Amino acid sequence: MTLSKTSARYGEQVPTPHYGQPRYRTIADELRQRIESGVIPPGALLPAESALTAEFRASRGTIRQAIALLRAAGVLVTDHGRGTYANPGSPVGDSASEVETRERHIAANAEIASLFAVEVGTVLIEHRSITRTNGAVSLVVVKYRLLQLQRDCLRVP
Amino acid sequence: MTLSKTSARYGEQVPTPHYGQPRYRTIADELRQRIESGVIPPGALLPAESALTAEFRASRGTIRQAIALLRAAGVLVTDHGRGTYANPGSPVGDSASEVETRERHIAANAEIASLFAVEVGTVLIEHRSITRTNGAVSLVVVKYRLLQLQRDCLRVP
DNA sequence: AGAAATTTGTCCGTATGTATC
DNA sequence: AGATACATACGGACAAATTTC
């Protein structure tokens, strides 16, 4: 029911709710900014997870989720008993972009239905892809395709 | 070493130790095999996380780690309140297909505006792509981009 | 070389929010 | 509106790799 804006700010303890951005993404953005701004130079070790836990007042799992995000983006590298450090060999370091995708079934509206030459209300697959560059949404891609089962593509073992 | 009694076999449940492969990877391999072997056909929903928890006798976090692995590999797709299913796989790309594209400027509606975090009515670039396979429309892709990128690349070293 | 401390890896259980059916 | 299912977050425990003493 679309609750009005709760004036909850981060930095304090949030029980569980994720307003707007989840906590781990906020932390990831903060860490990436530190790297891009030079606070954490390339190759330098980040504070230990236990330290980040204390600083961001988040659980270790949440910190690790944030780190995993940046590791997947190639921004960070982690060695087992050693630590996590800023990847010295990141191409631009700046244009790190993450893609978030999502698929769902939808009923075709008039516009889409006419494109596919099907009846309005026909179930289609909608594939959404949101690309964030430096944390900001830079590209949105929406794909539509028919729900028909594809007998043409067979998996090879 | 010299501790020859590290065996906490317990029969079925492993308390914490990870022998050889971590548990979540073993589970991921098992799930992948089910998909490739056809036990879980493309597009079919996987059992819910709660069900997998019971079947593999693992915690939900571990199940989710396994699923995340396959999702990153493009094997699985997850919808929020719906479920996780085997990725139907590659789009068409089968027989002769033609692509028709068009690009134009549009004003952001409420939905798109919120995604980009801009005001409704902001001018965006819309790129449409219609793919016809054997004459019939099989795929429609709509991309949205900001008209001006904000202070991204092009940094002086 | 060995032992302890540090740090990341894995796993569990629980609670609550949010989206979908 | 209720049930179901995924998402986020917390806290604790132990394992494994590395560093330090």
Side-chain angles (χ1 to χ4, degrees):
Chain A
M1 40 149 67
T2 59
L3 23 99
S4 59
K5 29 167 122 161
T6 59
S7 55
R9 300 297 306 165
Y10 291 105
E12 297 301 311
Q13 270 179 308
V14 185
T16 304
H18 26 280
Y19 302 114
Q21 278 209 142
R23 205 116 154 60
Y24 68 89
R25 194 177 309 191
T26 304
I27 295 173
D29 287 342
E30 168 64 24
L31 290 178
R32 180 169 48 194
Q33 193 136 24
R34 286 187 196 177
I35 293 172
E36 290 173 0
S37 68
V39 176
I40 301 175
L45 277 171
L46 264 70
E49 293 174 356
S50 57
L52 294 175
T53 290
E55 179 186 343
F56 289 103
R57 228 113 47 178
S59 78
R60 200 179 150 216
T62 301
I63 296 295
R64 284 177 62 76
Q65 246 179 310
I67 291 177
L69 217 61
L70 297 178
R71 189 167 37 217
V75 178
L76 297 178
V77 180
T78 300
D79 289 345
H80 193 153
R82 189 155 173 270
T84 299
Y85 53 95
N87 187 3
S90 62
V92 208
D94 221 344
S95 61
S97 60
E98 317 148 20
V99 182
E100 168 193 346
T101 66
R102 168 185 168 205
E103 259 186 26
R104 57 191 295 210
H105 293 198
I106 57 134
N109 59 26
E111 184 184 9
I112 299 298
S114 75
L115 284 173
F116 279 97
V118 297
E119 288 180 9
V120 172
T122 300
V123 176
L124 299 177
I125 296 176
E126 182 198 76
H127 178 103
R128 274 182 191 229
S129 159
I130 297 177
T131 302
R132 286 186 180 78
T133 302
N134 300 330
V137 174
S138 58
L139 177 66
V140 173
V141 181
V142 185
K143 299 183 188 179
Y144 300 94
R145 65 174 189 269
L146 294 173
L147 178 55
Q148 63 179 13
L149 297 181
Q150 54 286 5
R151 39 204 160 56
D152 48 78
C153 68
L154 284 178
R155 293 279 191 198
V156 286
Chain B
M1 48 191 66
T2 69
L3 291 175
S4 56
K5 58 179 54 170
T6 61
S7 62
R9 60 261 176 256
Y10 195 74
E12 24 182 324
Q13 259 171 276
V14 186
T16 304
H18 28 279
Y19 302 115
Q21 270 205 336
R23 211 114 152 59
Y24 70 88
R25 195 172 310 186
T26 305
I27 295 173
D29 287 343
E30 168 64 24
L31 290 178
R32 166 179 260 150
Q33 191 135 25
R34 285 188 197 176
I35 292 171
E36 290 173 356
S37 68
V39 176
I40 301 176
L45 277 171
L46 264 70
E49 291 175 357
S50 57
L52 295 174
T53 291
E55 179 187 342
F56 289 103
R57 229 111 49 178
S59 81
R60 210 179 139 218
T62 301
I63 297 295
R64 283 178 61 77
Q65 250 179 308
I67 290 177
L69 216 62
L70 297 179
R71 189 168 37 216
V75 178
L76 296 179
V77 179
T78 300
D79 288 347
H80 195 148
R82 187 161 172 267
T84 298
Y85 53 96
N87 189 358
S90 60
V92 258
D94 185 43
S95 38
S97 59
E98 321 146 14
V99 182
E100 168 195 345
T101 66
R102 189 161 61 106
E103 199 174 88
R104 60 173 181 166
H105 290 194
I106 59 140
N109 59 26
E111 185 184 8
I112 298 298
S114 76
L115 284 173
F116 280 97
V118 298
E119 288 180 9
V120 173
T122 300
V123 176
L124 300 175
I125 298 176
E126 182 198 77
H127 179 99
R128 271 185 194 230
S129 159
I130 298 178
T131 302
R132 287 187 179 78
T133 302
N134 300 329
V137 174
S138 56
L139 177 68
V140 173
V141 181
V142 186
K143 298 184 188 179
Y144 299 96
R145 264 197 319 268
L146 288 174
L147 186 51
Q148 52 180 2
L149 298 179
Q150 48 215 21
R151 68 162 180 280
D152 53 308
C153 325
L154 287 180
R155 272 190 43 203
V156 274

